[in-house]
Amino acid sequence: TGSLSCLGSCSILYDITWKDRKRKLQRPYYRILLFLSIFDAVCSFSLALSTWPIPRGTEGVYGAIGNTQTCTAQGFFNQILLGSPLYNLMLAIYYLLLGRYNLSEEEIAKRYEVYMHITAIVPSVGLAIAGLPLTLYNSANLWCWMAAYPSGCEDYNGHHHSELECKRGHSSWIYRWIFFYAPLWFLILVITIIMVMLTLSVRTEEKRYIELMIRQQSSDDIVASNSTEENKRPDVPPRLEIDVSTSEEAFHLERSRKMFYQATFYVGAFYLAWWGPTLNRLAEMITGENYFFFMLCTTLFAPLQGFFNFLVYRHGPCIA
């Protein structure tokens, strides 16, 4: 599935950088999506390598043909995957500023975009680099990531094996929490709150539009009544009333709806990619064991966000 995600992300990159790139790269939406796709493409390729980079001869791992260096490299790029949910947050913030606070794209680009990129890139790359001197990147069965070596010297809750000493990745379980799962679950919470705020904003606009239509209808009835009286006088021409504000409000409401649906689809792709790893980690934390179903979901869905984003980008609602 990592290959599908890599192809989807690369398709988005091609469309943004080669097709009408002068217009697209002027908009913060496309620039945020560009960096999101870069992170997805790199990490999806790394995940697609699966067990190949794991050191040859690792017990219980099929297809391991690598060494410590290849495993460290894959673990590093897998950790950079944190940049993907961070850019999902930036995309959600972009929609919030555009929809709820009615900022223009020029204002977002001038006042916020630089900080959005810094907030996404610095933590993801910085935490990945921090794992190198700590020798955290070792075989994690499915691929290389933060794990203790040799396998089994430390369980998922940090309990050490009495007869097996860890040579690399000491206390990797706590670094998984600090470097990845805690930030990931925090991002899921914040993105959910932003989507609730967007939902309430669109509902408020719908209520305002309905109230405006009711007032307009009442005004039309009064005008119609007056016109009927005036039409009885042949010397008075009929009046035509046009409320421009109603049409403008309708256009704004329709655009807000499309923006909300587009944001919902991108967030849905984010949730769909990360529900498997989240449940897998919860099961490990509660029972101290791995379950095949959750590992299968992690293997299938975690690398697929780039592909899901491609489907939204190509076939979802567009506000461009």
Side-chain angles (χ1 to χ4, degrees):
T1 58
S3 301
L4 278 176
S5 184
C6 187
L7 288 173
S9 297
C10 289
S11 298
I12 296 176
L13 292 173
Y14 172 78
D15 188 83
I16 294 175
T17 57
W18 289 96
K19 293 184 177 181
D20 197 16
R21 64 178 179 181
K22 185 176 181 180
R23 178 184 67 86
K24 291 178 178 177
L25 291 177
Q26 289 178 346
R27 296 184 54 194
Y29 164 71
Y30 286 105
R31 291 194 291 266
I32 293 172
L33 197 59
L34 176 71
F35 280 94
L36 171 61
S37 298
I38 290 174
F39 275 94
D40 281 335
V42 172
C43 299
S44 296
F45 177 78
S46 177
L47 292 172
L49 297 177
S50 188
T51 59
W52 290 349
I54 295 176
R56 185 187 301 271
T58 300
E59 184 179 355
V61 179
Y62 175 77
I65 58 174
N67 52 42
T68 301
Q69 288 72 31
T70 58
C71 192
T72 298
Q74 186 191 38
F76 173 83
F77 287 112
N78 285 349
Q79 175 58 29
I80 283 183
L81 184 60
L82 183 63
S84 179
L86 279 167
Y87 263 109
N88 272 276
L89 173 62
M90 298 308 115
L91 198 59
I93 291 174
Y94 161 80
Y95 285 118
L96 184 69
L97 294 174
L98 198 66
R100 181 179 177 85
Y101 297 104
N102 297 316
L103 296 182
S104 66
E105 294 208 329
E106 291 75 14
E107 289 178 301
I108 295 174
K110 183 178 180 180
R111 296 166 57 183
Y112 299 105
E113 188 182 358
V114 172
Y115 302 105
M116 295 165 79
H117 290 296
I118 292 174
T119 303
I121 295 173
V122 173
S124 55
V125 177
L127 291 176
I129 294 174
L132 293 175
L134 296 171
T135 64
L136 291 177
Y137 304 128
N138 303 291
S139 171
N141 297 322
L142 298 176
W143 39 62
C144 292
W145 191 45
M146 288 181 282
Y149 176 83
S151 179
C153 70
E154 183 180 272
D155 67 15
Y156 299 108
N157 292 318
H159 300 121
H160 293 274
H161 195 284
S162 59
E163 299 178 359
L164 196 59
E165 182 182 357
C166 293
K167 298 178 180 179
R168 290 170 54 89
H170 297 276
S171 302
S172 60
W173 68 277
I174 191 65
Y175 287 110
R176 284 190 177 194
W177 276 105
I178 297 173
F179 285 7
F180 194 81
Y181 284 112
L184 174 64
W185 292 356
F186 175 74
L187 292 172
I188 291 174
L189 175 63
V190 174
I191 289 172
T192 302
I193 292 173
I194 289 175
M195 289 308 299
V196 171
M197 294 174 67
L198 270 175
T199 302
L200 295 176
S201 175
V202 172
R203 286 187 176 180
T204 300
E205 288 194 17
E206 288 177 341
K207 290 180 180 179
R208 185 169 63 245
Y209 178 70
I210 291 172
E211 292 172 357
L212 182 62
M213 289 298 295
I214 292 174
R215 290 199 301 269
Q216 179 63 26
Q217 183 63 43
S218 300
S219 176
D220 289 344
D221 291 341
I222 295 174
V223 170
S225 176
N226 293 337
S227 297
T228 301
E229 295 296 328
E230 291 175 353
N231 287 340
K232 295 178 181 180
R233 298 168 55 189
D235 57 325
V236 179
R239 293 186 298 173
L240 180 62
E241 297 287 337
I242 300 176
D243 194 338
V244 179
S245 64
T246 304
S247 60
E248 290 179 349
E249 191 72 20
F251 173 79
H252 183 70
L253 177 60
E254 182 62 23
R255 188 173 184 275
S256 295
R257 283 175 174 171
K258 287 183 178 180
M259 177 205 64
F260 171 73
Y261 292 142
Q262 189 180 60
T264 301
F265 282 125
Y266 276 121
V267 172
F270 171 68
Y271 288 153
L272 193 58
W274 289 107
W275 73 272
T278 296
L279 293 181
N280 186 45
R281 182 54 187 160
L282 286 173
E284 288 177 355
M285 182 177 62
I286 295 171
T287 67
E289 297 180 3
N290 270 319
Y291 293 91
F292 175 77
F293 174 74
F294 293 138
M295 291 186 68
L296 178 64
C297 293
T298 298
T299 307
L300 292 177
F301 288 99
L304 271 178
Q305 185 171 350
F307 178 70
F308 295 146
N309 287 341
F310 169 75
L311 294 180
V312 177
Y313 180 77
R314 296 294 298 178
H315 304 291
C318 181
I319 60 170

